Amino acid sequence: MNIYLEDNGYDVQDYISAVAAVLDLDKYDSDIRIDLMKKCDGDAGGYCYGDAEDIDIEIATHVQGEALDIETIKTNIAHEMIHAQQIASGRLNDHGIQIVDECLVKVSEWDGEYHTNTKYDDQPWEIDAYAREAQVAQEAKEMLAQWN
């Protein structure tokens, strides 16, 4: 696994390395690009997308025009890196927009089960990421403390 960070002045490289260690991302043969940007599409806190070989993560530093505190940014990093783990391990596959019964639908696959136009709060990959993000963030902070 290789991680490439587009750093916009935030000191998060070591934190990202700790999250990667907590998630055991080294066992995957993926390139992960992380970009901290002022705003993500839809005013989201972050996005993760790609396939098992190439994964892109976008992290917002501002939402609704307001700067996010560093702890929120770090939680968002943990959340999106959990998605990177889901993608790298093959649990989550994005099949993009497809035509089904003459309608455009967003198709994703989670643990071998196909999901079409699933509401955000019902997406099992989001349920998994939200359930784990605080623990991953905490373990990463503890790991950083041991490194220093």
Side-chain angles (χ1 to χ4, degrees), residues 15-26:
Y15 176 78
I16 287 170
S17 295
V19 171
V22 168
L23 295 173
D24 200 18
L25 293 179
D26 274 339

Side-chain angles (χ1 to χ4, degrees), residues 4-148:
Y4 306 97
L5 173 64
E6 286 291 327
D7 190 1
N8 291 339
Y10 291 84
D11 185 21
V12 293
Q13 180 67 51
D14 289 343
Y15 176 78
I16 287 170
S17 295
V19 171
V22 168
L23 295 173
D24 200 18
L25 293 179
D26 274 339
K27 72 180 181 183
Y28 303 107
D29 190 27
S30 302
D31 287 334
I32 301 174
R33 284 170 299 285
I34 301 174
D35 188 9
L36 275 70
M37 53 187 35
K38 187 166 184 176
K39 181 179 178 182
C40 289
D41 288 343
D43 225 14
Y47 285 109
C48 181
Y49 51 91
D51 57 38
E53 294 177 4
D54 293 300
I55 300 169
D56 289 288
I57 294 175
E58 298 175 0
I59 301 293
T61 59
H62 293 69
V63 171
Q64 297 181 349
E66 299 292 325
L68 297 174
D69 63 82
I70 191 64
E71 292 307 312
T72 300
I73 291 170
K74 287 180 176 181
T75 298
N76 292 344
I77 289 169
H79 181 99
E80 299 307 329
M81 288 182 72
I82 290 168
H83 288 316
Q85 180 192 49
Q86 294 167 341
I87 293 168
S89 68
R91 292 188 75 199
L92 176 61
N93 292 294
D94 182 359
H95 296 287
I97 304 294
Q98 297 184 7
I99 299 173
V100 177
D101 295 329
E102 299 181 24
C103 293
L104 292 176
V105 295
K106 172 80 170 89
V107 180
S108 298
E109 183 182 355
W110 174 254
D111 286 343
E113 183 179 328
Y114 286 87
H115 294 263
T116 57
N117 291 343
T118 306
K119 291 181 183 177
Y120 182 82
D121 290 341
D122 296 334
Q123 295 171 352
W125 52 93
E126 291 297 345
I127 293 168
D128 177 60
Y130 280 111
R132 296 169 47 210
E133 68 183 25
Q135 182 65 34
V136 168
Q138 183 60 38
E139 288 180 28
K141 289 175 191 172
E142 291 170 4
M143 187 173 288
L144 275 176
Q146 291 175 0
W147 291 351
N148 292 328

